[in-house]
Every structure is written in structure tokens, then in C-alpha cells.
Amino acid sequence: MVAAELQGIGMTSRRTRMRLIQRLRESGIRDEQVLGVMGDLPRHIFLDEALAHRAYEDTSLPIGHGQTLSQPYIVAKMTETLMAHQPRKVLELGTGSGYQTAILAQLVAEVYSVERIKPLQDRARERLRQIGIRNVMLRHADGGMGWPEKGPFDGIIVTAAPREVPEELLEQLAEGGVLVAPVGDEAQMLVEITRHGDKFKTREIEPVRFVPLLHGVIR
Ligand code: SAH
């Protein structure tokens, strides 16, 4: 592609990105830091070329292997919920395209992200490298049990839905830490769970629809 054409896409994506941010505001997203990062980060680079033109619609989009890049509103909502607790060190389960990972990396000091599908992880790693993100550590594994060697975490964000939140994950939360996850089967609920000593307080946020958290790895 010639430079002028590339620049053209860059400009268009900036304008459409601003429209997306406007929509997120109208949907109730208030955290200016989150909106700022999402306004600056191109979403189209996290998609296959054939879908790139739909990157700024407020909708989830396929990323291959039956997985999806979440709807921007949900990404914003989950990030805003997490950031309200000002975490420094965050664990993400389900790297997928790396879009949510890239947003987190610009808001917190350290991000640890686990993905079970190797080809998705490889692509995400390459994209994060391309945009110069360095505070992310990726792991290819079944993340259902978290990443105990790297815990405890101030925040845990799960981008695939478990039927129930695994105990092991809650144990990796630091004191005062927060977990944000879609939970359930057919009917899923986005929840925020905060740790206070050995007590865990759950708050339901809103109904959502995520791909399921699955077991095992794909090479
Ligand atoms: N945050 C991603 C969302 C991807 S969809 C993005 O912004 O693109 C959810 C992802 O969770 C998929 O890539 C899926 O492979 C992954 N996943 C599902 N179960 C998992 C598990 N047990 N461990 C790690 N990753 C898992």
C-alpha cells in the first residue's frame, strides 16, 4: 500500500474512532483516562484485513478460531470497572486479539495475559510489539486457574465466561483487589468481585454475552 493511502486510512480511523468515543460517552462510560486510551488506540490493527473496515462499529467481531474481539462498549465498561480500583498489576484471561491487553497496558504498570490458542497469542504478541507495548507478559496456557506464580494481582479481568468464578482465581487477588468477569452459561452476568481479607463482595453490573472459558490448550 502506498504511503498516501495508508495515511488516508489513518485519518479516517481517527475520525471514526472519535465517533466511537462519543457513542461510549452516550452509553455512560465516564472514565476519561479509559476513553482517552481507547480514542488513541486503533482497533482495526487487531482484526483481519477483511474486517478492518468494521473496526469502529460498536459491535463484537470475529478474530478466528471461533473467538471474538469484544464490543468496544463492553471493553470500556470492564476497563472502567477495573480502573476504579487503581490496580498496578493486572492479570487478563483470554488475550485473544490483544486489543483489551493493549488498553490495559497503557493504564497500569504491569499486565499478565494468558491465552489458550497459540496462533491467536502469536498474532497478539506481534501486534503489541508493533505498537511498542512492553509492559505485557504473555503466556500460552489454560488460564482457568490464573497464573499463580505471578500473583497476587490487584486486578483480574476475564474475557471469556466461566460458569462460576474459579476459587483459584479469587485466591490470586491481592487485598482490596478486584476481579471483573462475565459469569454464566446461556444467561451471563458481568460481575465485579472485590476482596476484603477472606471475604469477597460481588456486584452485578449488567447482562453480557461472551464466548465460554474453555479447558485445555490449542497449539
Ligand atoms: N480480550 C480479547 C477477547 C477474546 S475472546 C480481545 O480483546 O480480543 C476470549 C478469549 O479467551 C479467546 O481468545 C479464547 O481463546 C480465550 N480463552 C478461553 N478460555 C480460556 C482459558 N481457559 N485460558 C486462556 N484463554 C482462554
Side-chain angles (χ1 to χ4, degrees), residues 17-215:
R17 221 145 67 214
M18 287 306 115
R19 274 206 292 277
L20 174 63
I21 296 308
Q22 186 51 36
R23 268 209 304 280
L24 294 179
R25 277 185 210 284
E26 287 161 12
S27 313
I29 303 298
R30 291 283 170 266
D31 188 321
E32 287 302 326
Q33 237 196 325
V34 173
L35 290 167
V37 167
M38 288 185 72
D40 283 339
L41 182 68
R43 188 169 180 252
H44 64 267
I45 63 167
F46 295 88
L47 291 161
D48 287 340
E49 241 169 77
L51 279 170
H53 68 287
R54 299 191 53 197
Y56 303 98
E57 295 173 19
D58 191 13
T59 165
S60 62
L61 290 165
I63 55 172
H65 301 268
Q67 304 306 313
T68 55
L69 202 176
S70 308
Q71 178 195 357
Y73 166 72
I74 292 296
V75 173
K77 188 75 192 174
M78 291 177 80
T79 311
E80 180 175 75
T81 305
L82 195 80
M83 289 311 296
H85 300 263
Q86 301 184 307
R88 208 193 73 80
K89 180 175 164 190
V90 170
L91 171 69
E92 175 189 38
L93 297 188
T95 315
S97 67
Y99 179 67
Q100 171 80 73
T101 323
I103 291 170
L104 290 170
Q106 294 174 75
L107 292 166
V108 308
E110 295 169 48
V111 180
Y112 295 83
S113 185
V114 186
E115 171 57 54
R116 66 184 281 274
I117 302 178
K118 185 78 167 103
L120 288 182
Q121 190 205 28
D122 289 343
R123 252 175 279 161
R125 189 189 298 283
E126 178 55 23
R127 289 168 180 141
L128 294 171
R129 194 190 61 75
Q130 271 171 12
I131 57 176
I133 284 177
R134 293 170 198 282
N135 55 338
V136 172
M137 212 187 221
L138 300 179
R139 180 191 197 191
H140 176 231
D142 177 339
M145 302 293 171
W147 194 342
E149 299 83 356
K150 299 290 181 191
F153 303 96
D154 308 312
I156 300 180
I157 185 166
V158 187
T159 69
R163 280 175 177 227
E164 281 170 29
V165 176
E167 279 282 322
E168 292 81 355
L169 274 189
L170 295 175
E171 282 164 15
Q172 287 163 46
L173 274 182
E175 172 58 27
V178 59
L179 177 142
V180 183
V183 180
D185 209 336
E186 283 295 293
Q188 299 169 5
M189 182 58 81
L190 186 64
V191 302
E192 171 197 58
I193 302 178
T194 41
R195 176 170 203 165
H196 308 279
D198 287 336
K199 294 216 165 56
F200 295 90
K201 196 173 116 209
T202 303
R203 180 173 73 91
E204 296 191 341
I205 299 172
E206 61 186 65
V208 284
R209 216 179 150 80
F210 273 79
V211 293
L213 191 77
L214 298 172
H215 294 295

